[in-house]
Amino acid sequence: MNFKIVSDSSSNILSFAGVPYTAVPLKIITNEREYVDDATLDVAGMVKDLRTVKGRTGTSCPNIYEWKTAMADADAVFAITMTSNLSGTHAAALQAKAELLAECPEKKICVLDSLSTGPEMQLVIEKLAALISSGKSFEAIECEIREYMTHTHLIFCLESLTNLARNGRVNPVVAKVAGVLGIRVVGVASEQGTLELLHKPRGGEKALSCILDVMKRYGYRGGAVRLAHCNNEVSATKLAAKIRAIYPAAEIKIIPTTALCSFYAEEGGLMIGYEDIK
């Protein structure tokens, strides 16, 4: 059976070695231009441009046709999307699945709602790839990946909430206060797939310690960690060192955010996906 993994680009993974994989791009839209979240985009340039943009900015999810095209060339597909509570990409993927199965009933397609985004999705993609490579059946993989997803989490630490506020993701008053006081905001993706703000530490070191405290409170004991950063590799590296100081065997990868996550995390933002106790 020909397997494939498909994800929207909020996973920060635009290419993947070892198994067939396609990232379906989201888009960032301003009054002046549209940025497509694919491998050709200069993400650092986009982030710089957005600092001076006046007026409304927003995002656009992949449409049904894009999802359908990405899923069409495999017998068995696992598709994972960013949380359905913050984007229409999951609904579009489900509609694409329905249309493909109506045309080709013999296909097997599983669409997973991450109830998250970014590095938590990366963990799921990596687990899917390992399960596919192990030779397990489609049904066994679906069962195992759904169980695995109950043990993954997302924490974020942001220096700016401007774009989240502009797009109705957080209260504009909270965003303005954070900007004026120069504080970081630490939060999590809730079980419902919404953004839950937890702490407002002052300063980078306090923020990193706060992140580690939240990770441990939500069950972290040394599992895999994926650290995504928006132009802030220094802080990501410091956080990795803090984690390894307590959990020396922790398997940690540091990656830059692509366009969608860069838009919401903004300059200096960190997103942390991790596994809890199993």
Side-chain angles (χ1 to χ4, degrees), residues 108-234:
K108 295 179 182 290
I109 303 173
C110 171
V111 177
L112 300 164
D113 183 351
S114 71
L115 296 176
S116 186
T117 190
E120 185 174 358
M121 290 174 66
Q122 179 178 351
L123 286 170
V124 176
I125 291 167
E126 292 174 357
K127 183 67 172 180
L128 278 169
L131 291 170
I132 290 169
S133 297
S134 73
K136 294 179 182 288
S137 69
F138 180 89
E139 291 75 18
I141 294 171
E142 180 173 359
C143 182
E144 289 195 36
I145 199 63
R146 290 190 184 279
E147 167 62 18
Y148 177 75
M149 290 172 68
T150 66
H151 296 285
T152 60
H153 307 270
L154 176 74
I155 296 176
F156 54 87
C157 177
L158 309 180
E159 296 184 13
S160 171
L161 301 176
T162 300
N163 289 334
L164 285 170
R166 283 178 176 174
N167 288 270
R169 308 303 195 231
V170 299
N171 188 315
V173 175
V174 173
K176 185 175 182 179
V177 170
V180 170
L181 297 180
I183 62 176
R184 272 71 166 175
V185 175
V186 174
V188 298
S190 71
E191 292 183 0
Q192 295 73 39
T194 57
L195 302 181
E196 182 179 349
L197 307 185
L198 299 178
H199 302 286
K200 301 172 185 176
R202 285 180 179 267
E205 288 300 321
K206 287 185 178 179
L208 296 181
S209 296
C210 181
I211 291 169
L212 186 52
D213 288 343
V214 172
M215 288 174 66
K216 290 189 287 187
R217 188 193 321 160
Y218 279 76
Y220 183 69
R221 297 295 182 272
V225 180
R226 301 295 177 262
L227 303 178
H229 66 91
C230 181
N231 297 333
N232 196 2
E233 188 171 2
V234 171

Side-chain angles (χ1 to χ4, degrees), residues 1-7 13-23 70 73-74 76-80 122-136 141:
M1 182 173 285
N2 177 19
F3 281 88
K4 185 177 186 181
I5 301 171
V6 180
S7 169
I13 301 178
L14 302 182
S15 62
F16 194 90
V19 298
Y21 174 81
T22 294
D73 60 350
V77 177
F78 286 93
I80 181 166
Q122 179 178 351
L123 286 170
V124 176
I125 291 167
E126 292 174 357
K127 183 67 172 180
L128 278 169
L131 291 170
I132 290 169
S133 297
S134 73
K136 294 179 182 288
I141 294 171

Side-chain angles (χ1 to χ4, degrees), residues 84-124:
S84 59
N85 280 310
L86 294 177
S87 172
T89 186
H90 184 70
L94 286 176
Q95 185 58 41
K97 170 185 174 179
E99 292 185 10
L100 276 173
L101 292 180
E103 298 169 9
C104 306
E106 71 280 3
K107 280 184 177 290
K108 295 179 182 290
I109 303 173
C110 171
V111 177
L112 300 164
D113 183 351
S114 71
L115 296 176
S116 186
T117 190
E120 185 174 358
M121 290 174 66
Q122 179 178 351
L123 286 170
V124 176

